[in-house]
Coordinates of all heavy atoms in Angstrom, one line a residue:
V1 N 202.6 3.0 40.3 CA 203.0 1.8 39.5 C 204.4 1.5 39.7 O 204.9 0.5 40.0 CB 202.4 2.0 38.2 CG1 202.9 0.7 37.4 CG2 200.9 2.1 38.1
R2 N 205.2 2.7 39.4 CA 206.7 2.4 39.5 C 207.2 2.0 40.8 O 208.0 1.0 40.9 CB 207.4 3.8 38.9 CG 208.9 3.6 38.8 CD 209.5 4.8 38.2 NE 209.3 6.0 39.0 CZ 208.5 7.0 38.7 NH1 207.8 7.0 37.5 NH2 208.3 8.0 39.4
E3 N 206.8 2.6 41.8 CA 207.3 2.3 43.1 C 206.7 1.0 43.6 O 207.4 0.2 44.4 CB 206.8 3.4 44.2 CG 207.6 4.8 43.9 CD 209.1 4.5 43.9 OE1 209.6 3.9 44.8 OE2 209.7 5.2 43.0
R4 N 205.5 0.6 43.2 CA 205.0 -0.7 43.5 C 205.8 -1.9 42.9 O 206.2 -2.8 43.6 CB 203.6 -0.7 42.9 CG 202.9 -2.1 43.2 CD 202.3 -2.3 44.6 NE 201.6 -3.5 44.8 CZ 200.3 -3.6 44.5 NH1 199.6 -2.5 44.0 NH2 199.7 -4.8 44.7
L5 N 206.3 -1.6 41.6 CA 207.1 -2.7 41.0 C 208.5 -2.6 41.7 O 209.1 -3.7 41.8 CB 207.2 -2.5 39.6 CG 205.9 -2.7 38.7 CD1 206.0 -2.4 37.3 CD2 205.5 -4.2 38.8
R6 N 209.1 -1.6 41.9 CA 210.4 -1.4 42.4 C 210.4 -2.1 43.9 O 211.4 -2.6 44.3 CB 210.8 0.0 42.5 CG 211.2 0.6 41.2 CD 211.8 1.9 41.2 NE 212.4 2.4 40.0 CZ 213.1 3.5 39.9 NH1 213.4 4.3 40.9 NH2 213.6 3.9 38.7
T7 N 209.3 -2.0 44.6 CA 209.3 -2.6 45.8 C 209.1 -4.2 45.8 O 209.8 -4.9 46.5 CB 208.0 -2.1 46.6 OG1 208.1 -0.7 46.8 CG2 208.0 -2.7 48.1
E8 N 208.5 -4.6 44.7 CA 208.4 -6.1 44.6 C 209.7 -6.8 43.9 O 209.9 -7.9 44.2 CB 207.2 -6.3 43.7 CG 205.8 -6.0 44.2 CD 204.7 -6.1 43.2 OE1 205.1 -6.5 42.0 OE2 203.5 -5.8 43.5
L9 N 210.4 -6.0 43.2 CA 211.5 -6.5 42.6 C 212.8 -6.0 43.3 O 213.2 -4.8 43.5 CB 211.6 -6.0 41.1 CG 210.5 -6.5 40.2 CD1 210.6 -5.9 38.8 CD2 210.5 -8.0 40.1
S10 N 213.5 -7.1 43.7 CA 214.9 -6.7 44.4 C 216.1 -6.6 43.5 O 217.0 -6.1 43.8 CB 215.2 -7.9 45.5 OG 215.3 -9.1 44.8
G11 N 215.9 -7.2 42.3 CA 216.9 -7.1 41.3 C 216.4 -7.5 39.8 O 215.4 -8.2 39.7
V12 N 217.0 -7.1 38.8 CA 216.7 -7.4 37.5 C 217.9 -7.7 36.6 O 219.0 -7.1 36.8 CB 216.0 -6.1 36.8 CG1 215.7 -6.4 35.4 CG2 214.8 -5.6 37.6
L13 N 217.9 -8.9 36.0 CA 218.9 -9.4 35.2 C 218.4 -9.5 33.8 O 217.2 -9.8 33.5 CB 219.3 -10.8 35.6 CG 219.7 -11.0 37.0 CD1 219.9 -12.5 37.4 CD2 220.8 -10.2 37.5
V14 N 219.3 -9.0 32.7 CA 218.8 -9.0 31.4 C 219.8 -9.7 30.5 O 221.0 -9.5 30.6 CB 218.7 -7.5 30.9 CG1 218.3 -7.5 29.4 CG2 217.8 -6.7 31.8
D15 N 219.3 -10.6 29.7 CA 220.1 -11.4 28.8 C 220.0 -10.8 27.5 O 219.0 -10.2 27.1 CB 219.6 -12.8 28.7 CG 220.6 -13.8 28.1 OD1 221.7 -13.3 28.0 OD2 220.1 -14.9 27.7
E16 N 221.2 -10.8 26.7 CA 221.2 -10.4 25.2 C 220.8 -8.9 25.2 O 220.0 -8.5 24.4 CB 220.3 -11.2 24.3 CG 220.6 -12.6 24.4 CD 222.0 -13.1 23.8 OE1 222.7 -12.2 23.3 OE2 222.3 -14.2 24.0
Y17 N 221.4 -8.1 26.1 CA 221.1 -6.7 26.1 C 221.4 -5.9 24.8 O 220.8 -4.8 24.6 CB 222.0 -6.0 27.2 CG 221.5 -4.5 27.5 CD1 220.3 -4.2 28.2 CD2 222.4 -3.5 27.1 CE1 220.0 -2.9 28.4 CE2 222.0 -2.3 27.2 CZ 220.9 -1.9 27.9 OH 220.5 -0.5 28.2
Q18 N 222.3 -6.4 24.0 CA 222.6 -5.7 22.7 C 221.4 -5.7 21.8 O 221.4 -5.0 20.7 CB 223.8 -6.3 21.9 CG 223.6 -7.7 21.3 CD 223.6 -8.9 22.3 OE1 223.9 -8.7 23.5 NE2 223.3 -10.1 21.8
D19 N 220.4 -6.6 22.0 CA 219.1 -6.6 21.1 C 218.0 -5.7 21.5 O 216.9 -5.9 21.1 CB 218.7 -8.1 21.1 CG 219.7 -9.0 20.4 OD1 220.3 -8.5 19.4 OD2 219.8 -10.2 20.7
T20 N 218.3 -4.8 22.6 CA 217.3 -3.9 22.9 C 217.0 -2.8 22.0 O 218.1 -2.4 21.3 CB 217.6 -3.4 24.4 OG1 219.0 -2.8 24.4 CG2 217.4 -4.5 25.4
D21 N 215.9 -2.2 22.0 CA 215.7 -1.0 21.2 C 215.4 0.1 22.2 O 215.4 0.0 23.4 CB 214.5 -1.1 20.3 CG 213.1 -1.5 21.0 OD1 212.9 -0.9 22.1 OD2 212.3 -2.3 20.6
P22 N 215.4 1.4 21.7 CA 215.3 2.6 22.7 C 214.1 2.4 23.6 O 214.2 3.0 24.7 CB 215.2 3.8 21.7 CG 215.8 3.4 20.5 CD 215.6 1.8 20.3
A23 N 213.0 1.9 23.1 CA 211.9 1.9 24.0 C 212.0 0.9 25.2 O 211.7 1.2 26.4 CB 210.5 1.5 23.2
Q24 N 212.6 -0.2 24.8 CA 212.9 -1.1 25.9 C 213.9 -0.7 26.9 O 213.8 -1.0 28.1 CB 213.3 -2.5 25.3 CG 212.2 -3.1 24.5 CD 212.8 -4.2 23.6 OE1 214.0 -4.3 23.2 NE2 212.0 -5.1 23.1
V25 N 214.9 0.1 26.4 CA 215.9 0.7 27.4 C 215.2 1.7 28.3 O 215.5 1.7 29.5 CB 217.0 1.4 26.6 CG1 217.9 2.1 27.6 CG2 217.8 0.3 25.8
E26 N 214.3 2.5 27.8 CA 213.6 3.4 28.6 C 212.7 2.8 29.6 O 212.5 3.2 30.7 CB 212.7 4.4 27.7 CG 213.6 5.4 27.0 CD 214.4 6.2 27.7 OE1 213.9 6.8 28.7 OE2 215.6 6.6 27.3
L27 N 212.1 1.7 29.2 CA 211.2 0.9 30.1 C 212.1 0.3 31.2 O 211.8 0.3 32.4 CB 210.6 -0.3 29.3 CG 209.8 -1.3 30.1 CD1 208.5 -0.8 30.7 CD2 209.6 -2.6 29.3
L28 N 213.2 -0.2 30.9 CA 214.2 -0.8 31.9 C 214.7 0.2 32.8 O 214.9 0.0 34.1 CB 215.4 -1.5 31.1 CG 216.3 -2.3 32.0 CD1 215.4 -3.5 32.5 CD2 217.4 -2.9 31.1
H29 N 214.9 1.5 32.3 CA 215.4 2.6 33.2 C 214.4 3.0 34.2 O 214.7 3.3 35.4 CB 215.9 3.8 32.3 CG 216.6 4.9 33.1 ND1 215.9 5.9 33.8 CD2 217.9 5.0 33.4 CE1 216.8 6.6 34.3 NE2 218.0 6.1 34.2
S30 N 213.2 3.0 33.8 CA 212.0 3.3 34.7 C 211.9 2.2 35.8 O 211.5 2.5 36.9 CB 210.7 3.5 33.9 OG 210.7 4.5 33.1
L31 N 212.1 1.0 35.4 CA 211.9 0.0 36.3 C 213.1 -0.3 37.2 O 212.9 -0.7 38.3 CB 211.7 -1.4 35.4 CG 211.4 -2.7 36.1 CD1 210.0 -2.6 36.7 CD2 211.4 -3.8 35.1
A32 N 214.3 -0.2 36.7 CA 215.6 -0.5 37.6 C 216.6 0.6 37.5 O 217.8 0.3 37.7 CB 216.0 -1.9 37.1
G33 N 216.3 1.8 37.1 CA 217.3 2.8 37.1 C 217.6 3.4 38.5 O 217.3 2.7 39.4
D34 N 218.2 4.5 38.4 CA 218.7 5.2 39.7 C 219.5 4.4 40.6 O 219.4 4.4 41.8 CB 217.3 5.7 40.5 CG 216.4 6.5 39.7 OD1 216.9 7.2 38.8 OD2 215.1 6.2 39.7
G35 N 220.4 3.7 40.0 CA 221.4 2.9 40.8 C 220.9 1.7 41.5 O 221.6 1.1 42.3

């Protein structure tokens, strides 16, 4: 699932990042982490 989404998404932009909670940050790291 992770590699399928990473292949489909070339970039991720996030607005109002200060309003994220720990779960959303972990989700974002799985989706667009690793540089």
Side-chain angles (χ1 to χ4, degrees):
V1 175
R2 185 172 60 251
E3 293 307 316
R4 177 80 174 271
L5 287 174
R6 287 187 170 188
T7 301
E8 295 175 356
L9 298 175
S10 61
V12 178
L13 309 175
V14 183
D15 193 15
E16 306 294 355
Y17 184 78
Q18 77 278 354
D19 292 325
T20 54
D21 60 39
Q24 291 165 341
V25 171
E26 291 299 324
L27 173 74
L28 195 60
H29 191 270
S30 298
L31 186 66
D34 305 324

